[in-house]
Amino acid sequence: MRAGLAASSEPVCVVPMTLGRDPGLIADCARALRWLSREEEPGRLALAPPFATVDHLTAWLRTAALKAVREAPDTSAVLVTAPAAGPFEDADLFRVARLVRQYGHHRWVEVAFDGGDPDLAEGAERCRRLGAGQVSLVRAAFAPPAELPAGVLDTGPLLSDAAIAQVVRARSQEALHRLAHGQDGVAEGLDAEHGHGYAHSHGPGGDHTHDHSDRDAHDTDPHHTHAHAHGEGHRHAHGQGHGHPHGHSPH
């Protein structure tokens, strides 16, 4: 981030590279930008909307699932996979998979996690026990799984490099447009985690004050956040083709 600021006098925007499963990444980016903005002139930094929301992810998975079972929809299962995250993020992936199945033409859409429970081998075995003759892995992540179970077909990246670059450009342009109108996106980013996690209610007379001191405690942390930073003229593509691309969030 500092290198980008030093290299050009143009505004720099950060695109949180999340597929809708990591609101904490967005908040971390916002905290880092708020910390950096103390040393910069106004209008130099902007937080873009995240790369994708969970609705985007659902739509992309629906498209990928349709392609995966096109040859044999009655005997093929879709195994939606992603690196294990937190309990709420992982639970939400089951909801996404249900929507993919509900609004598609797939007999089976199951979920498994790379490094989580159920793992990929367990997910594939469940598909076979249900009667699937072919199990096709569809990624809800930027990176491929660490290890592919035997007999499972990997359908490849969820998005092409060109599609990723197009989305990043769109998010960057939106952020720069807002910045030109005095909105840097940081305040919205700080609220990204609001309502995420355990739901809590207040009984009659049970008002209480929410303590956001943990948010402020990170303001002094200048560590790199997993995001994609762009100057105004940045236009090159990044994708899955080169390892861990620029700190992209895996979920």
Side-chain angles (χ1 to χ4, degrees), residues 117-245:
D117 178 25
D119 63 21
L120 271 61
E122 291 171 324
E125 179 62 21
R126 172 173 171 77
C127 291
R128 295 189 182 103
R129 287 179 178 273
L130 289 172
Q134 173 64 53
V135 180
S136 297
L137 182 147
V138 174
R139 306 176 195 171
F142 289 108
E147 185 176 354
L148 192 68
V152 173
L153 175 66
D154 185 358
T155 62
L158 181 63
L159 299 172
S160 67
D161 289 355
I164 291 173
Q166 182 179 8
V167 173
V168 170
R169 282 196 297 269
R171 301 293 180 264
S172 301
Q173 290 166 359
E174 182 177 350
L176 293 172
H177 176 77
R178 291 179 179 179
L179 187 63
H181 291 81
Q183 301 173 11
D184 62 11
V186 172
E188 294 87 344
L190 290 172
D191 281 337
E193 292 177 295
H194 183 72
H196 181 75
Y198 286 108
H200 61 279
S201 59
H202 311 293
D207 294 340
H208 72 260
T209 301
H210 292 270
D211 181 4
H212 295 288
S213 59
D214 60 328
R215 171 185 299 170
D216 297 330
H218 292 278
D219 287 347
T220 57
D221 182 3
H223 295 322
H224 174 73
T225 55
H226 299 278
H228 206 127
H230 290 267
E232 190 168 10
H234 185 86
R235 289 293 181 271
H236 64 275
H238 300 281
Q240 298 94 329
H242 51 279
H244 301 285

